[in-house]
Amino acid sequence: MHAADIITKKRNGEELSENEIAWLIQAYTDDKLPDYQMAAWLMAVFFRGMTDRETAALTMAMANSGEQVDLSQVPGIKVDKHSTGGVADTTTLVLAPLVAAAGVPVAKMSGRGLGFTGGTIDKLEAIPGFKATLERQEFIANLQQYGIAVTGQSAAIAPADGKLYSLRDVTATVESIPLIASSIMSKKIASGADKIVLDVKVGNGAFMKTRADAVTLAEAMVNIGRLVGRETVAILTNMDQPLGMAIGNSLEVKEAIELLSGRGTAALKEVCLELGSQMLVLGGQAKTPADGRRLLTNLIDNRQALAKFGEFITAQQGDSAILQDTGKLPQAGFVQKVTAPCQGYITAVNAAQIGYAAMRLGAGREYKGQTIDVAAGIQMQCRLGQYVSCGQPLAIIYTNDKSKLEQADEILQQAIEIKEQPTVIPPLIIGLVDKNGFHDRLE
């Protein structure tokens, strides 16, 4: 095969064969194809798109470019969950022990964050002593014994995806639905999931800004799952304000503990129950989402999910005493309140700006490899539609770098809009995409 022929074919809008895509991806992974040719192909895909069959073939080519995790030693249906990213999205910290407590094995390979806050691994490493890198057999053994294990994602998992993403980032081809969908799904498939639940965020704090784009992405990923034999369901959730009240690694661990203790933010709990109920249905532990929701609610109420979280932390050498005393989590040296400049209703909370403020405080990374401050972040004190008085706290900011407080305060003041009249609060759950297509929750 010749790369130029494949580039030409896609440039002309023709459908590529599975073998052509597999050859192209493997050649690029093996450094046998130069960046300039792959960049030309990516741009052709950006403008011409890909069919469902092409996108599925691209997904499997990337998944097959490296190691495949074999979870067959672990009994039960392994259901993975993935979020397209948001602000105060603490769902994995809650869902992993919650779903495991319900009898569905949770095996997650997660990465470190690049952006607003750290990734799941960064958040877990805020727990004193927590071991986030497990050897393969240790990972399997924990799954077999406890039904839950989380480890850092190996560079050997879908290496083609990492290499392609770096090229997409500098060639203006990131915003391509087939490329986004195949990137996400290739890592989930290579990580050994039997079935997959996706949380596709929509709004100003999400990668997908409009519902139409989010539906298109969700449908693309669900179709990939169908074509490669991995049943997939996607939930569309609103990200026009932070999901939880905590933005920052240590702060989000604390919020997860509060939710599993029966307290916590209603919006975060709602999304966790929505995603978790779908995971239980796919995992065979519930007949319907309603049944799954009841089971998960009971596991929170009777504190079995919290106990599973403690068991999980101990199994990975962390200090589970944080469940009783969150003061054992890393604490910031500087704390400052952001207050309302006037009275009125909260009519806008720009999640993206708030996430940026958290990153500037030290909670996230602006470049790969940057050290983050796990104690830094923002604790929100308001939500959309809430009435506030002049001088009332809107947020509390945390950092170990005092010089960052003023800029974060300014960003938050701009991100939170206060007006005399209340606003319409957008629905949290927008819809669901499964093998039968999009189901609009707003109709």
Side-chain angles (χ1 to χ4, degrees):
M1 293 185 187
H2 299 283
D5 294 336
I6 296 173
I7 295 167
T8 301
K9 191 173 178 181
K10 178 44 61 182
R11 182 200 67 189
N12 294 340
E14 299 176 48
E15 184 174 13
L16 300 177
S17 71
E18 183 177 335
N19 287 338
E20 287 172 323
I21 292 172
W23 179 86
L24 190 78
I25 295 303
Q26 197 58 54
Y28 187 61
T29 306
D30 294 340
D31 295 324
K32 295 177 181 178
L33 195 71
D35 279 351
Y36 61 81
Q37 284 190 305
M38 182 54 77
W41 182 78
L42 289 171
M43 192 59 74
V45 169
F46 184 88
F47 283 112
R48 289 294 193 172
M50 300 184 90
T51 66
D52 287 345
R53 284 193 296 273
E54 283 180 303
T55 308
L58 176 59
T59 301
M60 292 309 298
M62 291 196 295
N64 292 330
S65 67
E67 292 182 4
Q68 297 270 346
V69 179
D70 182 5
L71 298 178
S72 60
Q73 301 174 56
V74 181
I77 299 170
K78 278 68 71 178
V79 184
D80 202 353
K81 165 262 173 190
H82 176 82
S83 169
T84 57
V87 181
D89 183 9
T90 314
T91 51
T92 294
L93 296 182
V94 175
L95 276 174
L98 181 56
V99 171
V104 174
V106 176
K108 284 201 68 64
M109 291 193 171
S110 298
R112 298 189 181 279
L114 181 62
F116 299 144
T117 60
T120 297
I121 293 301
D122 297 299
K123 294 170 187 178
L124 288 170
E125 284 185 340
I127 300 170
F130 191 89
K131 182 181 179 182
T133 302
L134 303 177
E135 297 295 331
R136 187 62 53 86
Q137 281 309 117
E138 190 177 12
F139 182 71
I140 298 295
N142 279 11
L143 269 174
Q144 291 172 326
Q145 184 170 356
Y146 307 108
I148 179 174
V150 179
T151 188
Q153 186 165 301
S154 166
I157 298 294
D161 173 63
K163 194 172 181 184
L164 273 178
Y165 188 86
S166 295
L167 189 59
R168 287 166 56 203
D169 195 36
V170 296
T171 57
T173 54
V174 169
E175 296 91 348
S176 164
I177 294 293
L179 297 178
I180 297 168
S182 58
S183 173
I184 292 170
M185 293 295 286
S186 65
K187 294 191 287 288
K188 294 293 105 178
I189 290 166
S191 297
D194 296 319
K195 301 187 179 185
I196 302 164
V197 173
L198 303 167
D199 180 7
V200 180
K201 304 292 188 185
V202 188
N204 65 61
F207 187 70
M208 310 310 290
K209 305 299 182 186
T210 69
R211 189 175 79 154
D213 286 345
V215 171
T216 301
L217 175 60
E219 289 178 337
M221 292 189 289
V222 169
N223 283 333
I224 290 171
R226 175 179 56 82
L227 289 169
V228 304
R230 308 289 178 97
E231 185 179 0
T232 302
V233 171
I235 305 293
L236 275 65
T237 60
N238 185 281
M239 188 45 69
D240 277 333
Q241 67 174 325
L243 177 58
M245 298 296 276
I247 306 107
N249 304 280
S250 180
L251 295 172
E252 291 186 44
V253 173
K254 181 179 178 181
E255 184 164 36
I257 293 168
E258 289 175 351
L259 200 155
L260 292 171
S261 300
R263 303 184 299 277
T265 309
L268 176 60
K269 181 177 181 180
E270 175 61 24
V271 170
C272 288
L273 292 177
E274 187 76 22
L275 295 170
S277 64
Q278 294 292 338
M279 293 174 75
L280 295 197
V281 171
L282 293 185
Q285 290 296 323
K287 290 184 177 180
T288 68
D291 291 338
R293 178 180 284 260
R294 282 191 289 271
L295 174 56
L296 295 174
T297 301
N298 288 337
L299 290 169
I300 292 173
D301 292 344
N302 63 25
R303 300 175 77 84
Q304 288 185 37
L306 182 66
K308 177 61 71 173
F309 194 28
E311 187 177 73
F312 159 61
I313 291 170
T314 300
Q316 296 196 206
Q317 301 178 23
D319 183 3
S320 60
I322 63 164
L323 301 186
Q324 286 74 45
D325 181 7
T326 55
K328 291 180 177 292
L329 290 165
Q331 305 293 311
F334 300 97
V335 180
Q336 181 172 299
K337 291 181 180 179
V338 178
T339 58
C342 61
Q343 64 182 17
Y345 294 92
I346 305 293
T347 55
V349 182
N350 190 305
Q353 283 186 289
I354 291 172
Y356 177 70
M359 182 178 69
R360 296 299 301 153
L361 287 164
R365 294 184 178 88
E366 296 183 74
Y367 56 87
K368 289 182 179 179
Q370 183 180 6
T371 300
I372 63 174
D373 177 358
V374 294
I378 300 167
Q379 186 72 41
M380 297 298 296
Q381 301 293 300
C382 66
R383 293 192 73 80
L384 274 175
Q386 181 180 333
Y387 182 85
V388 294
S389 303
C390 184
Q392 182 174 331
L394 300 176
I396 303 172
I397 51 182
Y398 300 82
T399 186
N400 284 306
D401 185 343
K402 189 177 182 180
S403 68
K404 295 178 178 179
L405 291 172
E406 184 177 352
Q407 183 187 20
D409 189 303
E410 291 176 359
I411 295 171
L412 284 164
Q413 291 284 0
Q414 295 171 6
I416 302 171
E417 182 180 85
I418 302 173
K419 292 187 176 180
E420 291 183 2
Q421 299 299 320
T423 187
V424 176
I425 301 174
L428 185 59
I429 308 298
I430 295 168
L432 174 145
V433 176
D434 60 15
K435 61 184 178 181
N436 298 314
F438 177 57
H439 308 271
D440 194 337
R441 292 286 180 86
L442 307 184
E443 293 181 345

